[in-house]
Amino acid sequence: MSLKSIAQLLPFSRRISSVLVCETDGFTLRGSIVSRSGDGLVVSHSSRSEALEFKEAVAEIVTNVKAQGWQGKTAILLTPGALSTLVDLPVAPNSKRPPEQMLELVRWELEPLLMQHTTLWSVGRILVGLGYLTEAQATEVLDRQQGRKGVEDASALDVYSFKRYGEMAIEMGYITHRQMEECLTRQAWLQGSGDEIACGWSAQPVAKGQTTDEGQYPWLVCGINQGMMQQWSAAFAESRVILQRVYPLVGCAATSFELSASEAGDQLLIEAHAGLVAAIRVVSGSVSAINLQQSTLKNTLDACLEAFHVLTPPDVKAIWLGSAIGESDGLEISLTSMLGRPVNQLSSVSSQVTPGMLGAARHLLEMEGAARCCGVSVLGPSVPIWQSVEARAIAAALLLLLGVGTAETILQLRQNLAEQAHEEITAQAAVMDEAVGRVQVQIDAINKLKESLKAKNDEIDLLKTRTDLLAVDAPKRSAFLQALLIELSSVTPDDMVLERIEETPRDGFRFTAWSLSEKSAQQFVKSFQSAMDPYGLKVVEVSVGSQVGRLGLTGYILRLRLDKQPSPTATDVAVGKT
């Protein structure tokens, strides 16, 4: 295993290239695949779900984008259940505080704000969002529940003050029990159980010329109910996708804020969703102020105007608008008319994603301007790599692989030295190429002459081999065979018949004979062995057995073999004896 392959296994060495960005307003869930392409973003796949259960909505989104070809495993979520704001902390931006200490500081500042923020997603607000109540009806139900309307005496107040909002709306005939159940199911999208909150933070450097309280520094923070975040994480996990971070529904578009601006400086971004508007002031690339409008009784235009006036004066150089899908129609023109100055719409790479979705993707992919956005890590606050359990485990594993790594390093150094020497030799060879070219024609002629001589030598060697075969080996072979037949005829008794003589490359000569008597067969073996001794051959594998022979006579079958080919000396003896 090479060091490069080991590095690819480290969790902090792999960068995310594409992410499933999901956004919900509590009623629908949309998702798009956002990938990094150089300094920009590309949207490849998109899907939308209006399933009642948020788990079913997540499964539908993941199934659709995977069917379109996405093979990633990472997702992020923008939800109105998360809150982002700017707070002052006694921690300098470059200060190295432990994550646990930062978490306590941020939680102390954010907890009351988040508790107030979650009250927005009341039963009445959701019923209005679903279209089951008008804002006038919602107000009427609330007044009657609190005894401000339709109460004749104290006994009636006692009855109504203890009824829940949904029960009161049902009793007044505005909604049905089924609609109330749907409302409670939708409420689970935006509210979680338990009081624990998860937090994230991002330092905002103070711009030149700005002043802050002594010892206090601005930090962009984000928080969400821990139980709700875990529910969303479990929903994505069931679809085999890892929910990495959770972001607020409004505020993330600030990451691409200056990228769309024609001039740097003090600028204002208004990010609008139905009933939820955020105004973000950016000075010299840092977030300097945030105002969140949560009033459900105001339309989007009024909320945008109020958010603008809260953060101005001082005046800003440019105003930018980032709207939710379906919310931008006419809003830019209306704001321009009401404010008496141009309001520029943030550009988007796709009509299927909002500026906030793109901003959250830029933050996760660590692109330019990411510090102006803040999200909550599902796995908890990030710690320095050298302090994480995973890094320590990997370090222990790397110690076990130290020998392999050291050896590979040495080999790599040797390879580098060899490559350096090769480059030097190549440079010298280039100098010699010119001289070599001048004699190349002569070398080619010499090579052709050598090839011709080699061909002649090969023909001579072949002719010599054939001559030796015909002049030496063949006569010797013939003399040996004649001598062998003569010896056989001299030692074969009259009552014995040689039935077969065969020669194979592996076994040599094999003999099969038939004799009238066993004694005659044994005598033949001894006589034949004595005759073969001068030739360096030995009679082996002798077998004698009874067998009916020719003319139906009873006799004995004899089989034997000579164990090796005759040597040149034995052949010479055979020639002399002949």
Side-chain angles (χ1 to χ4, degrees):
M1 180 180 292
S2 65
L3 290 178
K4 291 183 179 180
S5 61
I6 293 175
Q8 291 297 322
L9 299 177
L10 302 180
F12 47 80
S13 67
R14 299 191 297 268
R15 298 187 65 182
I16 299 173
S17 59
S18 68
V19 60
L20 171 59
V21 184
C22 293
E23 180 184 83
T24 179
D25 57 2
F27 307 103
T28 61
L29 180 69
R30 63 173 59 91
S32 295
I33 304 301
V34 180
S35 305
R36 181 170 185 167
S37 178
D39 294 333
L41 296 175
V42 176
V43 177
S44 53
H45 311 300
S46 298
S47 181
R48 176 187 175 95
S49 175
E50 296 185 359
L52 180 59
E53 296 285 346
F54 67 90
K55 293 183 178 179
E56 297 177 1
V58 170
E60 183 178 346
I61 293 292
V62 174
T63 300
N64 289 341
V65 295
K66 286 187 175 181
Q68 297 175 41
W70 184 60
Q71 297 180 351
K73 295 292 183 182
T74 304
I76 57 177
L77 174 69
L78 286 78
T79 172
L83 171 67
S84 181
T85 188
L86 199 68
V87 299
D88 291 331
L89 298 177
V91 181
N94 57 353
S95 176
K96 304 296 182 182
R97 295 290 185 94
E100 296 80 5
Q101 184 178 358
M102 286 295 299
L103 180 61
E104 288 302 320
L105 289 173
V106 173
R107 184 180 293 168
W108 175 263
E109 297 286 344
L110 195 59
E111 190 169 10
L113 299 176
L114 185 62
M115 291 179 62
Q116 182 180 0
H117 176 73
T118 55
T119 58
L120 173 67
W121 314 115
S122 62
V123 172
R125 164 71 176 86
I126 297 175
L127 288 172
V128 172
L130 291 172
Y132 297 151
L133 287 180
T134 64
E135 291 194 1
Q137 290 174 335
T139 303
E140 182 182 354
V141 173
L142 182 62
D143 290 342
R144 187 168 183 180
Q145 181 194 26
Q146 296 179 354
R148 295 194 296 265
K149 183 178 181 181
V151 179
E152 301 296 339
D153 49 33
S155 61
L157 177 63
D158 293 337
V159 172
Y160 292 134
S161 61
F162 290 101
K163 288 189 177 181
R164 296 182 177 180
Y165 187 95
E167 295 175 351
M168 183 68 68
I170 294 173
E171 182 177 307
M172 295 175 68
Y174 289 150
I175 63 172
T176 64
H177 287 281
R178 184 194 62 79
Q179 291 172 337
M180 185 60 200
E181 292 176 359
E182 180 181 353
C183 173
L184 296 177
T185 302
R186 292 292 183 186
Q187 196 175 41
W189 288 45
L190 304 168
Q191 293 183 352
S193 58
D195 297 330
E196 291 293 327
I197 65 173
C199 303
W201 51 86
S202 175
Q204 300 299 304
V206 179
K208 186 176 180 179
Q210 283 189 316
T211 59
T212 59
D213 295 338
E214 184 177 356
Q216 298 290 318
Y217 302 90
W219 285 78
L220 184 64
V221 298
C222 179
I224 187 174
N225 181 275
Q226 182 76 32
M228 181 173 62
M229 185 175 68
Q230 291 176 352
Q231 290 177 356
W232 280 103
S233 177
F236 279 93
E238 289 182 4
S239 298
R240 303 194 178 189
V241 174
I242 300 173
L243 180 61
Q244 188 119 355
R245 292 178 186 171
V246 178
Y247 293 88
L249 182 63
V250 291
C252 295
T255 60
S256 56
F257 183 64
E258 285 196 52
L259 296 178
S260 301
S262 59
E263 57 179 342
D266 193 354
Q267 303 178 56
L268 183 70
L269 167 67
I270 300 176
E271 191 173 358
H273 284 257
L276 191 61
V277 173
I280 304 168
R281 189 159 189 154
V282 177
V283 179
S284 299
S286 298
V287 176
S288 63
I290 296 178
N291 178 259
L292 186 66
Q293 295 294 325
Q294 299 180 345
S295 176
T296 61
L297 301 180
K298 299 178 182 179
N299 59 38
T300 304
L301 178 60
D302 292 340
C304 290
L305 292 173
E306 182 170 346
F308 170 81
H309 290 300
V310 167
L311 297 187
T312 56
D315 199 8
V316 292
K317 291 184 177 181
I319 304 173
W320 298 88
L321 174 65
S323 304
I325 297 174
E327 295 290 336
S328 60
D329 296 342
L331 184 59
E332 176 186 352
I333 299 175
S334 299
L335 282 174
T336 300
S337 175
M338 297 293 291
L339 297 177
R341 57 180 302 179
V343 175
N344 306 303
Q345 181 75 36
L346 283 178
S347 61
S348 178
V349 297
S350 173
S351 60
Q352 302 298 322
V353 296
T354 62
M357 295 171 70
L358 293 177
R362 294 183 64 86
H363 180 266
L364 181 71
L365 299 175
E366 299 179 355
M367 300 177 68
E368 183 180 355
R372 295 191 293 272
C373 176
C374 186
V376 180
S377 174
V378 177
L379 300 179
S382 60
V383 297
I385 293 174
W386 58 88
Q387 295 182 7
S388 64
V389 177
E390 294 82 359
R392 293 178 181 178
I394 292 172
L398 289 178
L399 289 177
L400 298 178
L401 298 174
L402 182 60
V404 176
T406 303
E408 184 175 351
T409 303
I410 294 173
L411 291 175
Q412 185 66 40
L413 291 176
R414 290 182 178 178
Q415 182 180 356
N416 293 339
L417 293 175
E419 291 177 354
Q420 183 178 0
H422 175 70
E423 292 176 357
E424 295 176 356
I425 294 173
T426 302
Q428 296 175 1
V431 176
M432 297 176 61
D433 284 343
E434 184 179 355
V436 172
R438 291 193 297 267
V439 299
Q440 189 63 45
V441 175
Q442 298 178 3
I443 293 176
D444 292 341
I446 293 173
N447 289 337
K448 290 181 180 179
L449 182 59
K450 287 182 179 180
E451 292 177 359
S452 177
L453 292 175
K454 184 177 181 300
K456 293 294 184 182
N457 289 334
D458 292 341
E459 292 179 2
I460 292 172
D461 291 340
L462 179 60
L463 182 59
K464 182 179 178 181
T465 301
R466 292 178 178 176
T467 302
D468 291 342
L469 177 63
L470 296 175
V472 180
D473 294 342
K476 288 182 179 181
R477 175 72 173 171
S478 177
F480 171 73
L481 292 176
Q482 291 177 7
L484 179 61
L485 294 176
I486 293 172
E487 293 295 345
L488 281 173
S489 67
S490 64
V491 300
T492 301
D494 295 336
D495 58 349
M496 178 175 287
V497 177
L498 287 173
E499 293 187 346
R500 178 182 296 176
I501 300 175
E502 60 180 351
E503 182 183 13
T504 63
R506 188 183 67 176
D507 297 333
F509 288 96
R510 285 187 174 276
F511 300 87
T512 303
W514 184 84
S515 175
L516 285 172
S517 65
E518 183 178 2
K519 179 179 180 181
S520 177
Q522 296 292 345
Q523 184 62 39
F524 169 77
V525 172
K526 292 179 180 180
S527 300
F528 187 53
Q529 179 62 66
S530 298
M532 292 294 102
D533 286 340
Y535 301 96
L537 298 175
K538 184 178 180 181
V539 177
V540 297
E541 298 181 9
V542 179
S543 64
V544 180
S546 60
Q547 181 175 316
V548 177
R550 299 179 182 179
L551 302 177
L553 299 176
T554 302
Y556 296 87
I557 188 72
L558 170 64
R559 294 184 179 86
L560 56 87
R561 182 177 68 84
L562 296 178
D563 68 342
K564 65 180 181 178
Q565 293 286 348
S567 64
T569 302
T571 305
D572 293 339
V573 172
V575 174
K577 188 171 182 179
T578 305

